[in-house]
Amino acid sequence: MSPKLLRRAVEALDSFNVETPSWGFADTGTRFGKFFQDAAAIDMNDKLADAGQVHALTGCCPTVATHVLWDFIPGEDPKKVVRLSRKHGVKLGAINPNVFQDQCYKWGSFGNNDPKIRQHALQHCLDSIAIMKAVGSEYLSLWFADGTSYPGQGSIRERKGYFEECLKALHKKLGPKQTMLVEYKPFEPAFYATDIADWGMAYVYSKKAGPKSKVLVDTGHHYSATNIEQIVAWLLDEDMLGGFHFNDRRYADDDLTLGSIDPYQIFRIFHEIHSFSADRGRMPKIAYMIDQSHNEKPKVEATIQTVVIAQELYAKAALVDHEALRRAQAKNNVIDAELILKKAFFTDVTPALGVWRKANKLPSDPLAEHRRSGYEKKAAADRRARRKAMGITRGGSFA
Ligand code: PSV
Ligand code: MN
């Protein structure tokens, strides 16, 4: 790696942070069941301790996304969670309202044909804005499970109208430095017509809601073969890209570790961002977040693995020679253009990561250091004992 490229990669790493999700440290599973890990977080203190461990080792995860119903105790001052996060060396990031879990949302939240339920969902989101204010968060991250599972079940246009109304009402209450992110997902739990199924719908809703609303791209929320980097490029060009939920997928919303299936795709996404920044002379403001739930991998390890691969791919994408690419494109030199991307993708950025970690007084191999630290073992023993004391039994017949 030439000194020039090394410098470029290190500079890119300086500007890259990624948010960890509180829910990624707790018990999760599939709809077929859960396989528990002793080290899984029990409460918010555990989740923030785990997030703190990831940040201490990687140096680029200073914030943690929270889910309102899973992380905040109703009636309790949210600042308590802020104090807890400080104790673990992290800050609170995006606030995720939850309008999908309560029984009242069987027929939807913002898309429900009952105005009382729509109002109830809206109030929860407004309460979430109050939490944002209390904890100093910049992002309200919205995902809706709304949709219909059978043709004819609901009026697609009427539901669209309900969504527009509610999102507009919500947008009105955002503070000057607050942004709402609208996430889309093609299916699940709705199987016929999800109310925000793709980036176009999220874009239209955001545009109608107001300038503080942007689109959130969850990399797992696309059909196979969707060209996600093209969506990213369009959203960037329209100044409508607000953030990412990173994960990888093979079939549906698999929540696999970023880059485990298709690292080149994530590289191409980052390339669009670097290319936009090279053309416009400014890096767009994007909230990079992880949205993964691990059932088989140890959760903290999987999160560290994700962060490290995200840094690697971001640094590799920073190495693309934009001028050479432009020249090749101008001449319609397809092979050279493609090879320019491949060259950056296949460059070993380990030296740059090493320099960046050393400069930031971080371990050269965060995953190895985590394993060496014995954190997982200690957390497992502590959390096993606490579960026992609390009378929580989660094992099967061999427990
Ligand atoms: C839904 O699949 C999603 O991607 C949303 O971002 C949720 O907030 C998150 O997963 C956690 O369930
Ligand atoms: Mn998501």
Side-chain angles (χ1 to χ4, degrees):
M1 202 180 203
S2 72
K4 191 177 150 206
L5 286 188
L6 187 114
R7 218 176 18 252
R8 207 190 296 167
V10 171
E11 267 171 32
L13 290 168
D14 275 339
S15 67
F16 184 72
N17 281 338
V18 59
E19 187 161 302
T20 54
S22 68
W23 56 95
F25 301 112
D27 275 331
T28 46
T30 67
R31 65 184 189 275
F32 302 105
K34 285 183 182 179
F35 293 102
F36 299 112
Q37 297 180 19
D38 283 342
I42 303 173
D43 54 22
M44 201 50 188
N45 185 58
D46 294 344
K47 291 178 197 175
L48 292 167
D50 291 355
Q53 169 75 352
V54 174
H55 181 49
L57 296 172
T58 61
C60 65
C61 304
T63 57
V64 187
T66 52
H67 236 287
V68 172
L69 293 191
W70 304 337
D71 297 328
F72 293 92
I73 297 168
E76 205 178 84
D77 184 359
K79 288 209 168 69
K80 239 179 134 174
V81 182
V82 176
R83 284 194 286 275
L84 217 49
S85 67
R86 248 185 245 135
K87 185 176 108 187
H88 295 294
V90 283
K91 284 185 179 160
L92 299 189
I95 302 292
N96 291 250
N98 183 320
V99 287
F100 49 85
Q101 180 177 303
D102 199 287
Q103 288 301 307
C104 71
Y105 299 129
K106 179 169 180 181
W107 307 115
S109 58
F110 281 16
N112 201 305
N113 55 15
D114 182 340
K116 285 198 294 297
I117 308 294
R118 293 204 296 279
Q119 187 50 43
H120 183 73
L122 182 59
Q123 189 54 53
H124 174 73
C125 293
L126 295 174
D127 294 345
S128 303
I129 293 184
I131 296 181
M132 286 172 80
K133 280 194 182 123
V135 307
S137 160
E138 222 182 308
Y139 291 105
L140 183 73
S141 196
L142 301 163
W143 174 70
F144 299 90
D146 288 52
T148 51
S149 290
Y150 294 93
Q153 183 182 329
S155 160
I156 294 174
R157 279 180 295 109
E158 199 170 81
R159 294 178 71 96
K160 175 174 176 282
Y162 295 149
F163 257 93
E164 286 173 8
E165 254 171 46
C166 291
L167 289 169
K168 262 183 213 159
L170 190 57
H171 187 279
K172 266 200 194 128
K173 300 287 177 186
L174 288 172
K177 290 207 170 106
Q178 294 177 334
T179 300
M180 67 189 219
L181 303 172
V182 179
E183 182 174 354
Y184 57 92
K185 178 171 176 171
F187 69 91
E188 197 210 16
F191 290 113
Y192 170 64
T194 296
D195 289 308
I196 315 184
D198 64 25
W199 73 275
M201 298 180 194
Y203 173 93
V204 169
Y205 283 139
S206 282
K207 272 282 177 203
K208 289 194 172 175
K212 288 176 231 154
S213 184
K214 305 277 172 200
V215 177
L216 183 143
V217 177
D218 182 315
T219 45
H221 292 186
H222 302 87
Y223 293 112
S224 300
T226 301
N227 186 336
I228 304 177
E229 63 268 27
Q230 188 176 19
I231 296 172
V232 168
W234 271 62
L235 289 173
L236 280 168
D237 201 55
E238 295 292 330
D239 191 24
M240 287 301 282
L241 179 66
F244 284 95
H245 271 180
F246 283 140
N247 51 62
D248 213 337
R249 72 185 285 283
R250 179 69 185 86
Y251 298 103
D253 186 21
D254 307 336
D255 272 355
L256 299 180
T257 318
L258 187 77
S260 56
I261 304 294
D262 188 357
Y264 191 41
Q265 180 184 67
I266 307 300
F267 166 89
R268 294 190 310 263
I269 290 173
F270 284 143
H271 162 61
E272 288 304 330
I273 295 166
H274 287 303
S275 140
F276 175 90
S277 135
D279 288 348
R280 306 283 169 102
R282 67 173 172 95
M283 214 10 137
K285 192 167 185 296
I286 299 170
Y288 295 109
M289 297 174 272
I290 297 169
D291 184 3
Q292 292 174 181
S293 296
H294 293 282
N295 310 314
E296 294 169 355
K297 290 179 173 177
K299 293 159 200 293
V300 175
E301 283 193 14
T303 310
I304 294 172
Q305 189 189 18
T306 302
V307 174
V308 168
I309 189 79
Q311 283 188 301
E312 267 176 39
L313 294 168
Y314 190 80
K316 281 170 185 272
L319 303 183
V320 171
D321 185 339
H322 297 286
E323 278 161 28
L325 185 61
R326 281 270 185 247
R327 281 197 299 275
Q329 288 170 347
K331 289 186 195 146
N332 294 311
N333 193 337
V334 185
I335 291 184
D336 285 5
E338 188 196 345
L339 287 178
I340 287 164
L341 292 194
K342 286 275 173 69
K343 190 174 169 200
F345 179 65
F346 287 113
T347 302
D348 179 11
V349 290
T350 319
L353 281 157
V355 167
W356 184 83
R357 288 188 183 128
K358 200 165 174 205
N360 288 284
K361 298 185 176 56
L362 293 162
S364 59
D365 182 341
L367 183 58
E369 183 57 31
H370 171 68
R371 288 180 172 163
R372 235 189 331 264
S373 73
Y375 179 94
E376 190 97 17
K377 216 167 149 199
K378 267 185 260 151
D382 164 59
R383 294 169 192 181
R384 201 168 36 233
R386 278 165 48 221
R387 278 195 187 91
K388 201 166 165 205
M390 290 158 83
I392 302 173
T393 47
R394 354 147 37 222
S397 49
F398 290 96

PDB file of all heavy atoms in Angstrom, residues 23 67 96 141 143 183-185 216-221 244-247 253 255 290-292, ligand 2:
ATOM      1  N   TRP A  23     -30.578  -3.822  21.179  1.00  0.00           N
ATOM      2  CA  TRP A  23     -31.269  -5.115  21.084  1.00  0.00           C
ATOM      3  C   TRP A  23     -30.364  -6.226  20.546  1.00  0.00           C
ATOM      4  O   TRP A  23     -30.692  -7.398  20.688  1.00  0.00           O
ATOM      5  CB  TRP A  23     -32.544  -4.994  20.243  1.00  0.00           C
ATOM      6  CG  TRP A  23     -32.370  -4.458  18.842  1.00  0.00           C
ATOM      7  CD1 TRP A  23     -32.229  -5.180  17.696  1.00  0.00           C
ATOM      8  CD2 TRP A  23     -32.348  -3.075  18.434  1.00  0.00           C
ATOM      9  NE1 TRP A  23     -32.103  -4.346  16.610  1.00  0.00           N
ATOM     10  CE2 TRP A  23     -32.181  -3.052  17.025  1.00  0.00           C
ATOM     11  CE3 TRP A  23     -32.449  -1.859  19.103  1.00  0.00           C
ATOM     12  CZ2 TRP A  23     -32.118  -1.862  16.293  1.00  0.00           C
ATOM     13  CZ3 TRP A  23     -32.382  -0.669  18.365  1.00  0.00           C
ATOM     14  CH2 TRP A  23     -32.217  -0.684  16.993  1.00  0.00           C
ATOM     15  N   HIS A  67     -34.407   1.012  21.710  1.00  0.00           N
ATOM     16  CA  HIS A  67     -35.789   0.744  21.313  1.00  0.00           C
ATOM     17  C   HIS A  67     -36.641   1.103  22.528  1.00  0.00           C
ATOM     18  O   HIS A  67     -36.469   0.530  23.610  1.00  0.00           O
ATOM     19  CB  HIS A  67     -35.944  -0.745  20.953  1.00  0.00           C
ATOM     20  CG  HIS A  67     -36.481  -0.952  19.579  1.00  0.00           C
ATOM     21  ND1 HIS A  67     -37.789  -0.693  19.286  1.00  0.00           N
ATOM     22  CD2 HIS A  67     -35.898  -1.383  18.431  1.00  0.00           C
ATOM     23  CE1 HIS A  67     -37.991  -0.962  17.994  1.00  0.00           C
ATOM     24  NE2 HIS A  67     -36.860  -1.372  17.448  1.00  0.00           N
ATOM     25  N   ASN A  96     -35.748   4.471  18.797  1.00  0.00           N
ATOM     26  CA  ASN A  96     -36.680   3.703  17.964  1.00  0.00           C
ATOM     27  C   ASN A  96     -38.009   3.511  18.681  1.00  0.00           C
ATOM     28  O   ASN A  96     -38.086   2.732  19.646  1.00  0.00           O
ATOM     29  CB  ASN A  96     -36.109   2.306  17.663  1.00  0.00           C
ATOM     30  CG  ASN A  96     -34.914   2.334  16.748  1.00  0.00           C
ATOM     31  OD1 ASN A  96     -34.985   1.918  15.601  1.00  0.00           O
ATOM     32  ND2 ASN A  96     -33.782   2.831  17.242  1.00  0.00           N
ATOM     33  N   SER A 141     -35.884   6.962  14.761  1.00  0.00           N
ATOM     34  CA  SER A 141     -35.772   5.952  13.715  1.00  0.00           C
ATOM     35  C   SER A 141     -37.068   5.147  13.647  1.00  0.00           C
ATOM     36  O   SER A 141     -37.403   4.407  14.559  1.00  0.00           O
ATOM     37  CB  SER A 141     -34.571   5.050  14.042  1.00  0.00           C
ATOM     38  OG  SER A 141     -34.207   4.310  12.922  1.00  0.00           O
ATOM     39  N   TRP A 143     -39.717   2.480  12.121  1.00  0.00           N
ATOM     40  CA  TRP A 143     -40.040   1.313  11.287  1.00  0.00           C
ATOM     41  C   TRP A 143     -41.450   0.850  11.648  1.00  0.00           C
ATOM     42  O   TRP A 143     -41.807   0.781  12.827  1.00  0.00           O
ATOM     43  CB  TRP A 143     -39.054   0.157  11.507  1.00  0.00           C
ATOM     44  CG  TRP A 143     -39.525  -1.054  10.745  1.00  0.00           C
ATOM     45  CD1 TRP A 143     -39.534  -1.221   9.391  1.00  0.00           C
ATOM     46  CD2 TRP A 143     -40.111  -2.244  11.291  1.00  0.00           C
ATOM     47  NE1 TRP A 143     -40.080  -2.432   9.057  1.00  0.00           N
ATOM     48  CE2 TRP A 143     -40.442  -3.079  10.206  1.00  0.00           C
ATOM     49  CE3 TRP A 143     -40.391  -2.685  12.590  1.00  0.00           C
ATOM     50  CZ2 TRP A 143     -41.035  -4.330  10.374  1.00  0.00           C
ATOM     51  CZ3 TRP A 143     -40.981  -3.925  12.765  1.00  0.00           C
ATOM     52  CH2 TRP A 143     -41.293  -4.738  11.656  1.00  0.00           C
ATOM     53  N   GLU A 183     -37.836   3.974   7.621  1.00  0.00           N
ATOM     54  CA  GLU A 183     -37.265   2.692   7.147  1.00  0.00           C
ATOM     55  C   GLU A 183     -38.313   1.923   6.349  1.00  0.00           C
ATOM     56  O   GLU A 183     -39.493   1.947   6.672  1.00  0.00           O
ATOM     57  CB  GLU A 183     -36.848   1.888   8.380  1.00  0.00           C
ATOM     58  CG  GLU A 183     -36.191   0.563   8.079  1.00  0.00           C
ATOM     59  CD  GLU A 183     -35.679  -0.120   9.367  1.00  0.00           C
ATOM     60  OE1 GLU A 183     -35.748   0.499  10.463  1.00  0.00           O
ATOM     61  OE2 GLU A 183     -35.221  -1.271   9.270  1.00  0.00           O
ATOM     62  N   TYR A 184     -37.869   1.227   5.331  1.00  0.00           N
ATOM     63  CA  TYR A 184     -38.789   0.421   4.519  1.00  0.00           C
ATOM     64  C   TYR A 184     -38.407  -1.054   4.604  1.00  0.00           C
ATOM     65  O   TYR A 184     -37.283  -1.401   4.992  1.00  0.00           O
ATOM     66  CB  TYR A 184     -38.785   0.879   3.062  1.00  0.00           C
ATOM     67  CG  TYR A 184     -37.405   0.861   2.395  1.00  0.00           C
ATOM     68  CD1 TYR A 184     -36.958  -0.255   1.684  1.00  0.00           C
ATOM     69  CD2 TYR A 184     -36.546   1.967   2.497  1.00  0.00           C
ATOM     70  CE1 TYR A 184     -35.714  -0.266   1.064  1.00  0.00           C
ATOM     71  CE2 TYR A 184     -35.301   1.953   1.884  1.00  0.00           C
ATOM     72  CZ  TYR A 184     -34.882   0.833   1.175  1.00  0.00           C
ATOM     73  OH  TYR A 184     -33.645   0.822   0.577  1.00  0.00           O
ATOM     74  N   LYS A 185     -39.354  -1.895   4.254  1.00  0.00           N
ATOM     75  CA  LYS A 185     -39.110  -3.346   4.278  1.00  0.00           C
ATOM     76  C   LYS A 185     -40.157  -3.992   3.383  1.00  0.00           C
ATOM     77  O   LYS A 185     -41.340  -3.702   3.511  1.00  0.00           O
ATOM     78  CB  LYS A 185     -39.243  -3.833   5.723  1.00  0.00           C
ATOM     79  CG  LYS A 185     -39.059  -5.323   5.906  1.00  0.00           C
ATOM     80  CD  LYS A 185     -38.996  -5.682   7.391  1.00  0.00           C
ATOM     81  CE  LYS A 185     -38.921  -7.176   7.563  1.00  0.00           C
ATOM     82  NZ  LYS A 185     -38.656  -7.580   8.944  1.00  0.00           N
ATOM     83  N   LEU A 216     -34.250   5.691   5.547  1.00  0.00           N
ATOM     84  CA  LEU A 216     -33.269   4.787   6.161  1.00  0.00           C
ATOM     85  C   LEU A 216     -33.219   3.493   5.351  1.00  0.00           C
ATOM     86  O   LEU A 216     -34.255   2.870   5.089  1.00  0.00           O
ATOM     87  CB  LEU A 216     -33.642   4.476   7.617  1.00  0.00           C
ATOM     88  CG  LEU A 216     -32.628   3.603   8.360  1.00  0.00           C
ATOM     89  CD1 LEU A 216     -32.515   4.049   9.811  1.00  0.00           C
ATOM     90  CD2 LEU A 216     -32.983   2.114   8.330  1.00  0.00           C
ATOM     91  N   VAL A 217     -32.011   3.115   4.950  1.00  0.00           N
ATOM     92  CA  VAL A 217     -31.814   1.890   4.167  1.00  0.00           C
ATOM     93  C   VAL A 217     -31.316   0.782   5.093  1.00  0.00           C
ATOM     94  O   VAL A 217     -30.197   0.851   5.596  1.00  0.00           O
ATOM     95  CB  VAL A 217     -30.781   2.122   3.039  1.00  0.00           C
ATOM     96  CG1 VAL A 217     -30.509   0.833   2.264  1.00  0.00           C
ATOM     97  CG2 VAL A 217     -31.240   3.230   2.099  1.00  0.00           C
ATOM     98  N   ASP A 218     -32.158  -0.213   5.334  1.00  0.00           N
ATOM     99  CA  ASP A 218     -31.711  -1.407   6.058  1.00  0.00           C
ATOM    100  C   ASP A 218     -31.272  -2.385   4.974  1.00  0.00           C
ATOM    101  O   ASP A 218     -32.078  -2.799   4.130  1.00  0.00           O
ATOM    102  CB  ASP A 218     -32.881  -1.967   6.896  1.00  0.00           C
ATOM    103  CG  ASP A 218     -32.485  -3.177   7.727  1.00  0.00           C
ATOM    104  OD1 ASP A 218     -31.808  -4.071   7.184  1.00  0.00           O
ATOM    105  OD2 ASP A 218     -32.877  -3.247   8.909  1.00  0.00           O
ATOM    106  N   THR A 219     -29.985  -2.735   4.996  1.00  0.00           N
ATOM    107  CA  THR A 219     -29.456  -3.532   3.876  1.00  0.00           C
ATOM    108  C   THR A 219     -30.146  -4.896   3.759  1.00  0.00           C
ATOM    109  O   THR A 219     -30.157  -5.487   2.680  1.00  0.00           O
ATOM    110  CB  THR A 219     -27.929  -3.712   3.998  1.00  0.00           C
ATOM    111  OG1 THR A 219     -27.609  -4.054   5.355  1.00  0.00           O
ATOM    112  CG2 THR A 219     -27.186  -2.444   3.624  1.00  0.00           C
ATOM    113  N   GLY A 220     -30.754  -5.353   4.825  1.00  0.00           N
ATOM    114  CA  GLY A 220     -31.457  -6.648   4.772  1.00  0.00           C
ATOM    115  C   GLY A 220     -32.865  -6.559   4.214  1.00  0.00           C
ATOM    116  O   GLY A 220     -33.507  -7.579   3.980  1.00  0.00           O
ATOM    117  N   HIS A 221     -33.360  -5.335   4.004  1.00  0.00           N
ATOM    118  CA  HIS A 221     -34.752  -5.165   3.607  1.00  0.00           C
ATOM    119  C   HIS A 221     -34.934  -4.992   2.100  1.00  0.00           C
ATOM    120  O   HIS A 221     -35.541  -4.024   1.647  1.00  0.00           O
ATOM    121  CB  HIS A 221     -35.357  -3.966   4.338  1.00  0.00           C
ATOM    122  CG  HIS A 221     -35.516  -4.185   5.809  1.00  0.00           C
ATOM    123  ND1 HIS A 221     -36.146  -3.296   6.635  1.00  0.00           N
ATOM    124  CD2 HIS A 221     -35.138  -5.215   6.606  1.00  0.00           C
ATOM    125  CE1 HIS A 221     -36.144  -3.750   7.881  1.00  0.00           C
ATOM    126  NE2 HIS A 221     -35.521  -4.916   7.886  1.00  0.00           N
ATOM    127  N   PHE A 244     -28.395   4.171   7.661  1.00  0.00           N
ATOM    128  CA  PHE A 244     -28.372   2.741   7.318  1.00  0.00           C
ATOM    129  C   PHE A 244     -28.631   1.893   8.548  1.00  0.00           C
ATOM    130  O   PHE A 244     -28.226   2.256   9.660  1.00  0.00           O
ATOM    131  CB  PHE A 244     -26.988   2.328   6.808  1.00  0.00           C
ATOM    132  CG  PHE A 244     -26.691   2.758   5.403  1.00  0.00           C
ATOM    133  CD1 PHE A 244     -26.007   3.940   5.172  1.00  0.00           C
ATOM    134  CD2 PHE A 244     -27.092   1.985   4.324  1.00  0.00           C
ATOM    135  CE1 PHE A 244     -25.727   4.344   3.873  1.00  0.00           C
ATOM    136  CE2 PHE A 244     -26.811   2.379   3.026  1.00  0.00           C
ATOM    137  CZ  PHE A 244     -26.124   3.571   2.798  1.00  0.00           C
ATOM    138  N   HIS A 245     -29.245   0.761   8.336  1.00  0.00           N
ATOM    139  CA  HIS A 245     -29.208  -0.353   9.275  1.00  0.00           C
ATOM    140  C   HIS A 245     -28.403  -1.431   8.567  1.00  0.00           C
ATOM    141  O   HIS A 245     -28.831  -1.977   7.557  1.00  0.00           O
ATOM    142  CB  HIS A 245     -30.634  -0.873   9.566  1.00  0.00           C
ATOM    143  CG  HIS A 245     -31.284  -0.169  10.711  1.00  0.00           C
ATOM    144  ND1 HIS A 245     -32.546  -0.482  11.140  1.00  0.00           N
ATOM    145  CD2 HIS A 245     -30.819   0.814  11.528  1.00  0.00           C
ATOM    146  CE1 HIS A 245     -32.852   0.294  12.174  1.00  0.00           C
ATOM    147  NE2 HIS A 245     -31.825   1.085  12.418  1.00  0.00           N
ATOM    148  N   PHE A 246     -27.229  -1.717   9.098  1.00  0.00           N
ATOM    149  CA  PHE A 246     -26.350  -2.685   8.436  1.00  0.00           C
ATOM    150  C   PHE A 246     -26.588  -4.110   8.917  1.00  0.00           C
ATOM    151  O   PHE A 246     -26.707  -4.374  10.132  1.00  0.00           O
ATOM    152  CB  PHE A 246     -24.889  -2.342   8.713  1.00  0.00           C
ATOM    153  CG  PHE A 246     -24.362  -1.195   7.900  1.00  0.00           C
ATOM    154  CD1 PHE A 246     -23.516  -0.265   8.482  1.00  0.00           C
ATOM    155  CD2 PHE A 246     -24.685  -1.053   6.560  1.00  0.00           C
ATOM    156  CE1 PHE A 246     -22.995   0.793   7.751  1.00  0.00           C
ATOM    157  CE2 PHE A 246     -24.170  -0.007   5.812  1.00  0.00           C
ATOM    158  CZ  PHE A 246     -23.331   0.919   6.416  1.00  0.00           C
ATOM    159  N   ASN A 247     -26.593  -5.000   7.988  1.00  0.00           N
ATOM    160  CA  ASN A 247     -26.614  -6.449   8.219  1.00  0.00           C
ATOM    161  C   ASN A 247     -26.477  -7.088   6.850  1.00  0.00           C
ATOM    162  O   ASN A 247     -26.448  -6.378   5.843  1.00  0.00           O
ATOM    163  CB  ASN A 247     -27.919  -6.889   8.920  1.00  0.00           C
ATOM    164  CG  ASN A 247     -29.160  -6.374   8.218  1.00  0.00           C
ATOM    165  OD1 ASN A 247     -29.414  -6.711   7.068  1.00  0.00           O
ATOM    166  ND2 ASN A 247     -29.929  -5.533   8.909  1.00  0.00           N
ATOM    167  N   ASP A 253     -34.969 -11.177   5.558  1.00  0.00           N
ATOM    168  CA  ASP A 253     -34.366 -10.258   6.533  1.00  0.00           C
ATOM    169  C   ASP A 253     -33.593 -11.100   7.544  1.00  0.00           C
ATOM    170  O   ASP A 253     -33.981 -11.238   8.696  1.00  0.00           O
ATOM    171  CB  ASP A 253     -35.494  -9.464   7.211  1.00  0.00           C
ATOM    172  CG  ASP A 253     -34.978  -8.384   8.139  1.00  0.00           C
ATOM    173  OD1 ASP A 253     -33.813  -7.978   7.982  1.00  0.00           O
ATOM    174  OD2 ASP A 253     -35.737  -7.952   9.024  1.00  0.00           O
ATOM    175  N   ASP A 255     -30.710 -10.881   9.070  1.00  0.00           N
ATOM    176  CA  ASP A 255     -29.913 -10.291  10.163  1.00  0.00           C
ATOM    177  C   ASP A 255     -28.533 -10.930  10.309  1.00  0.00           C
ATOM    178  O   ASP A 255     -28.011 -11.064  11.416  1.00  0.00           O
ATOM    179  CB  ASP A 255     -30.650 -10.410  11.505  1.00  0.00           C
ATOM    180  CG  ASP A 255     -31.568  -9.215  11.748  1.00  0.00           C
ATOM    181  OD1 ASP A 255     -31.547  -8.283  10.928  1.00  0.00           O
ATOM    182  OD2 ASP A 255     -32.285  -9.227  12.759  1.00  0.00           O
ATOM    183  N   ILE A 290     -25.968  -0.411  13.037  1.00  0.00           N
ATOM    184  CA  ILE A 290     -26.044  -1.863  12.837  1.00  0.00           C
ATOM    185  C   ILE A 290     -27.426  -2.300  13.289  1.00  0.00           C
ATOM    186  O   ILE A 290     -27.941  -1.806  14.287  1.00  0.00           O
ATOM    187  CB  ILE A 290     -24.966  -2.577  13.693  1.00  0.00           C
ATOM    188  CG1 ILE A 290     -23.557  -2.152  13.243  1.00  0.00           C
ATOM    189  CG2 ILE A 290     -25.119  -4.095  13.612  1.00  0.00           C
ATOM    190  CD1 ILE A 290     -22.451  -2.602  14.196  1.00  0.00           C
ATOM    191  N   ASP A 291     -28.046  -3.207  12.540  1.00  0.00           N
ATOM    192  CA  ASP A 291     -29.304  -3.812  12.993  1.00  0.00           C
ATOM    193  C   ASP A 291     -29.180  -5.320  12.779  1.00  0.00           C
ATOM    194  O   ASP A 291     -29.532  -5.833  11.725  1.00  0.00           O
ATOM    195  CB  ASP A 291     -30.498  -3.237  12.213  1.00  0.00           C
ATOM    196  CG  ASP A 291     -31.822  -3.773  12.740  1.00  0.00           C
ATOM    197  OD1 ASP A 291     -31.802  -4.526  13.733  1.00  0.00           O
ATOM    198  OD2 ASP A 291     -32.882  -3.451  12.155  1.00  0.00           O
ATOM    199  N   GLN A 292     -28.608  -5.972  13.763  1.00  0.00           N
ATOM    200  CA  GLN A 292     -28.404  -7.424  13.677  1.00  0.00           C
ATOM    201  C   GLN A 292     -28.803  -8.061  15.008  1.00  0.00           C
ATOM    202  O   GLN A 292     -28.579  -7.472  16.059  1.00  0.00           O
ATOM    203  CB  GLN A 292     -26.934  -7.736  13.414  1.00  0.00           C
ATOM    204  CG  GLN A 292     -26.440  -7.305  12.053  1.00  0.00           C
ATOM    205  CD  GLN A 292     -24.944  -7.493  11.834  1.00  0.00           C
ATOM    206  OE1 GLN A 292     -24.443  -7.163  10.780  1.00  0.00           O
ATOM    207  NE2 GLN A 292     -24.241  -7.996  12.818  1.00  0.00           N
TER     208      GLN A 292
HETATM  209 MN    MN B   2     -33.817  -2.245  10.619  1.00  0.00          MN
END
